[in-house]
């Protein structure tokens, strides 16, 4: 201990200060990081995604929508015709281009739409084949001249060494544009980086507060008191020694030994005392409001969401939170990936939201069984809904069984129709009944 506290030997020899001197150890919650103050916090994507609640909320919204397939549909005389093999369905539910999956494309589009109010993807057409290239909002500059809208794309490079793309001009027709909270009936929208900037600042300050407690150590605040004055350089050395020896989580529980008449008086300004925990809850609640989602989905007051109402919770998420983004994407795809003639003929893109509203296994089994018994769905569709697989031999047997059941069902319908016809022939008409009555008289 003498080796650790050699500084205190110097204190005894100093007599050039007033009696009852006090020195305050800097408050580690005051915004100091390594001795410097961070009075401003940049509100940008990299910083705000460090906020756990916001990151989780964006991940829930983006990943949920990205997980949903989207296909080309057509209204065909009351029937919903789906074109699974259309090239446009494949890029929206398979690979958007040769390297980017449709999941990652949709995830990034929703993330940008939430944060910036805009999202972009360049459309590359090659005959009937189509592909989509995601473009970060930071490199896209919408412009307008006497010919209409167009987009300036700045040169950019990816994390892959040697992968670099030159600047270019993209025509309005070849750019998929998503807009939220549009300004002045234009192509530019506004996102949470603008609307929720103050809440993000508070959240980042809260995280900085907690980080400084662990990095600067000791307590939230403490006082060094001594009846024997000492010089300024000795004070600075004392603070440095205290920080080196007793700060940080690794020093927790160590016994502090002070020499002479030096006393350490900790002040009880703990996070609980300053209501930090309650403040963080309020911040999470505000973030949930900006995302328009239940706060318990951000792991706050989770008791409000239980397994018994999980379907209702998913329906609420779909209706209140996801639907505005789903509609925005569907409308953008309809506008840029369909011709006017196709739109007039009833073609449209539609997300498959059934996965989100999936029932429990037992409920889903009962539901699909009823549909099958009524011959509304095939055996193949029932097994697909229940996620049941089989090898080729079993699949062929199931197809034969389904065919037999379908034929039996059709025969039953035919027999029922014949019976109805025979019954109608046996029943006398009103005219026949009158004639029979007259004859009997």
């Amino acid at each position: 201990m003498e080796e650790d506290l050699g500084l205190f030997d110097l204190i005894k020899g100093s007599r050039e200060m007033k009696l009852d001197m006090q020195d305050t150890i800097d408050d580690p919650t005051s915004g100091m990081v390594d001795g410097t103050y961070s009075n401003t916090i940049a509100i940008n994507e990299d910083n705000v995604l460090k906020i756990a609640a916001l990151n989780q909320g964006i991940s829930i919204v983006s990943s949920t929508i990205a997980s949903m397939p989207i296909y080309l549909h057509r209204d065909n005389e009351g029937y919903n015709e789906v074109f699974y093999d259309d090239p446009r369905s494949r890029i929206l539910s398979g690979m958007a281009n040769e390297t980017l999956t449709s999941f990652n494309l949709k995830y990034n589009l929703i993330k940008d739409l939430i944060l910036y109010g805009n999202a972009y993807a360049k459309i590359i057409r090659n005959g009937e084949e189509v592909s989509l290239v995601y473009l970060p909002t930071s490199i896209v500059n919408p412009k307008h001249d006497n010919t209409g809208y167009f987009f300036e794309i700045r040169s950019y490079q990816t994390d892959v060494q040697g992968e670099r793309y030159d600047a270019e001009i993209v025509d309005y027709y070849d750019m998929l544009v998503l807009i939220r909270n549009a300004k002045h009936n234009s192509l530019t929208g506004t996102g949470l980086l603008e609307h929720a900037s103050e809440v993000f600042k508070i959240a980042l300050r809260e995280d900085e507060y907690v980080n400084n407690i662990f990095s600067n150590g000791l307590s939230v605040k403490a006082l060094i008191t001594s009846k024997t004055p000492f010089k300024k350089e000795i004070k600075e050395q004392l603070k440095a020694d205290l920080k080196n020896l007793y700060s940080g989580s690794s020093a927790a529980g160590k016994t502090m030994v002070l020499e002479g008449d030096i006393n350490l008086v900790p002040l009880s300004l703990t996070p609980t005392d300053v209501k930090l925990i309650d403040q963080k809850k309020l911040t999470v609640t505000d973030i949930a409001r900006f995302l328009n989602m239940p706060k318990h989905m951000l792991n706050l007051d989770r008791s409000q969401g239980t397994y018994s109402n999980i379907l209702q919770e998913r329906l609420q998420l779909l209706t209140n939170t996801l639907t505005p983004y789903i509609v925005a994407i569907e409308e953008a795809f309809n506008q840029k990936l369909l011709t006017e003639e196709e739109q007039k003929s009833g073609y449209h893109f539609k997300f498959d939201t059934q996965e989100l509203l999936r029932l429990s296994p037992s409920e889903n089994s009962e539901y699909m069984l009823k549909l099958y018994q009524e011959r509304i769905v095939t055996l193949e569709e029932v097994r697909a809904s229940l996620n049941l697989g089989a090898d080729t031999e079993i699949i062929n047997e199931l197809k034969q069984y389904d065919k037999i059941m379908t034929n039996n069902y059709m025969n039953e319908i035919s027999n029922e129709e014949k019976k109805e016809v025979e019954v109608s022939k046996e029943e006398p008409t009103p005219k026949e009944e009158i004639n029979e009555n007259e004859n009997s008289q």
Side-chain angles (χ1 to χ4, degrees):
M1 183 58 66
E2 290 180 357
E3 181 179 353
D4 290 342
L5 299 179
L7 164 69
F8 296 104
D9 294 332
L10 299 175
I11 298 176
K12 297 179 180 179
S14 178
R15 296 288 185 270
E16 300 178 4
M17 297 193 73
K18 296 179 181 180
L19 296 177
D20 300 318
M21 180 279 299
Q22 291 187 341
D23 185 34
T24 303
I25 295 178
D26 293 309
D27 181 0
T29 67
S30 61
M32 287 191 67
V33 180
D34 295 330
T36 60
Y37 284 91
S38 54
N39 293 324
T40 60
I41 295 180
I43 301 301
N44 54 41
E45 179 178 341
D46 290 338
N47 281 340
V48 300
L49 288 182
K50 295 175 183 176
I51 303 171
L54 178 67
N55 194 312
Q56 182 183 16
I58 290 179
S59 179
I60 290 174
V61 176
S62 300
S63 60
T64 302
I65 294 178
S67 300
M68 298 179 188
I70 178 171
Y71 300 112
L72 179 63
H73 294 245
R74 182 179 67 170
D75 298 326
N76 187 357
E77 297 180 354
Y79 289 92
N80 180 32
E81 188 176 3
V82 186
F83 299 89
Y84 297 104
D85 294 328
D86 188 279
R88 292 164 291 188
S89 291
R90 291 201 300 269
I91 65 170
L92 300 178
S93 301
M95 293 296 293
N97 56 55
E98 61 181 5
T99 59
L100 181 67
T101 65
S102 62
F103 177 93
N104 287 330
L105 171 69
K106 289 180 283 189
Y107 185 98
N108 284 311
L109 290 177
I110 295 301
K111 171 187 63 82
D112 287 354
L113 193 58
I114 293 173
L115 291 177
Y116 300 98
N118 282 104
Y120 303 99
K122 184 173 69 173
I123 304 170
I124 300 177
R125 295 179 172 89
N126 185 14
E128 293 184 355
E129 296 297 322
V130 181
S131 61
L132 295 173
V133 177
Y134 165 72
L135 296 174
T137 58
S138 58
I139 67 170
V140 181
N141 186 21
K143 290 200 168 184
H144 185 274
D145 60 14
N146 55 4
T147 64
Y149 289 105
F150 63 96
F151 301 88
E152 286 185 352
I153 312 299
R154 297 201 302 271
S155 61
Y156 66 101
Q157 62 184 26
T158 68
D159 294 333
V160 178
Q161 185 175 2
E163 188 175 17
R164 182 177 179 82
Y165 297 91
D166 296 330
E168 61 176 322
I169 300 294
V170 178
D171 186 73
Y172 178 72
Y173 173 70
D174 294 322
M175 181 69 81
L176 181 72
V177 184
L178 301 180
I179 310 169
R180 185 166 172 81
N181 303 317
K183 292 182 177 180
H184 312 298
N185 194 33
S186 183
L187 293 181
T188 55
T190 53
L192 295 190
L193 286 178
E194 180 175 343
H195 290 310
S197 59
E198 294 302 318
V199 173
F200 293 162
K201 288 178 183 178
I202 293 174
L204 290 170
R205 286 294 189 191
E206 290 168 353
D207 290 341
E208 184 182 39
Y209 185 109
V210 175
N211 289 336
N212 286 337
I213 289 176
F214 288 103
S215 62
N216 294 345
L218 282 181
S219 178
V220 175
K221 202 169 187 179
L223 293 177
I224 292 291
T225 65
S226 174
K227 294 182 179 180
T228 304
F230 43 85
K231 294 181 179 180
K232 181 177 180 181
E233 57 268 21
I234 297 179
K235 289 193 296 178
E236 296 300 324
Q237 185 63 42
L238 173 60
K239 288 192 292 183
D241 282 357
L242 288 173
K243 181 175 181 179
N244 292 333
L245 294 173
Y246 300 107
S247 67
S249 57
S250 61
K254 289 180 66 175
T255 301
M256 180 177 291
V257 178
L258 300 176
E259 296 184 10
D261 56 4
I262 299 175
N263 293 311
L264 179 70
V265 182
L267 302 181
S268 301
L269 295 178
T270 64
T272 302
D273 293 332
V274 296
K275 304 297 183 181
L276 175 62
I277 295 176
D278 291 340
Q279 177 58 46
K280 287 180 72 69
K281 287 183 178 180
L282 290 175
T283 303
V284 173
T285 300
D286 286 339
I287 290 174
R289 287 172 178 165
F290 275 110
L291 292 172
N292 198 26
M293 64 191 307
K295 62 181 181 180
H296 64 263
M297 298 195 73
L298 301 181
N299 292 331
L300 188 67
D301 294 335
R302 185 59 204 176
S303 59
Q304 296 181 12
T306 62
Y307 180 80
S308 61
N309 64 3
I310 189 170
L311 184 60
Q312 186 64 32
E313 178 181 299
R314 290 177 179 177
L315 180 60
Q316 182 182 3
L317 178 68
L318 175 62
T319 304
N320 298 335
T321 308
L322 305 183
T323 295
Y325 299 105
I326 289 175
V327 171
I329 294 177
E330 290 176 345
E331 290 179 347
F333 288 160
N334 291 339
Q335 180 190 23
K336 296 297 178 69
L337 297 181
L338 295 177
T339 64
E340 291 186 8
E341 187 62 30
E342 285 177 321
Q343 294 184 50
K344 292 179 181 178
S345 300
Y347 287 89
H348 61 278
F349 289 96
K350 185 178 180 180
F351 274 96
D352 183 1
T353 61
Q354 293 304 310
E355 186 67 26
L356 182 64
L357 301 178
R358 182 182 289 274
L359 302 171
S360 67
S362 59
E363 292 173 334
N364 191 40
S365 299
E366 294 177 3
Y367 174 69
M368 295 304 297
L369 179 60
K370 290 180 181 179
L371 293 182
Y372 179 72
Q373 290 173 342
E374 297 296 329
R375 306 308 298 174
I376 297 175
V377 297
T378 65
L379 183 61
E380 181 181 3
E381 290 172 322
V382 173
R383 292 181 62 83
S385 175
L386 300 178
N387 198 26
L388 300 176
D391 57 27
T392 303
E393 182 179 354
I394 294 178
I395 289 176
N396 290 333
E397 293 177 359
L398 291 172
K399 287 182 177 179
Q400 281 295 119
Y401 175 78
D402 194 37
K403 185 176 181 180
I404 293 172
M405 294 296 293
T406 301
N407 290 336
N408 292 340
Y409 178 74
M410 296 304 296
N411 290 334
E412 290 177 3
I413 293 178
S414 179
N415 293 333
E416 289 293 330
E417 290 177 347
K418 289 179 180 179
K419 289 180 181 179
E420 290 179 0
V421 172
E422 292 175 356
V423 169
S424 64
K425 287 182 179 180
E426 293 176 357
E427 293 178 353
T429 63
K431 186 175 181 180
E432 290 175 343
E433 289 181 353
I434 294 174
N435 293 334
E436 288 179 0
N437 293 333
E438 290 177 350
N439 293 331
S440 62
Q441 291 176 355

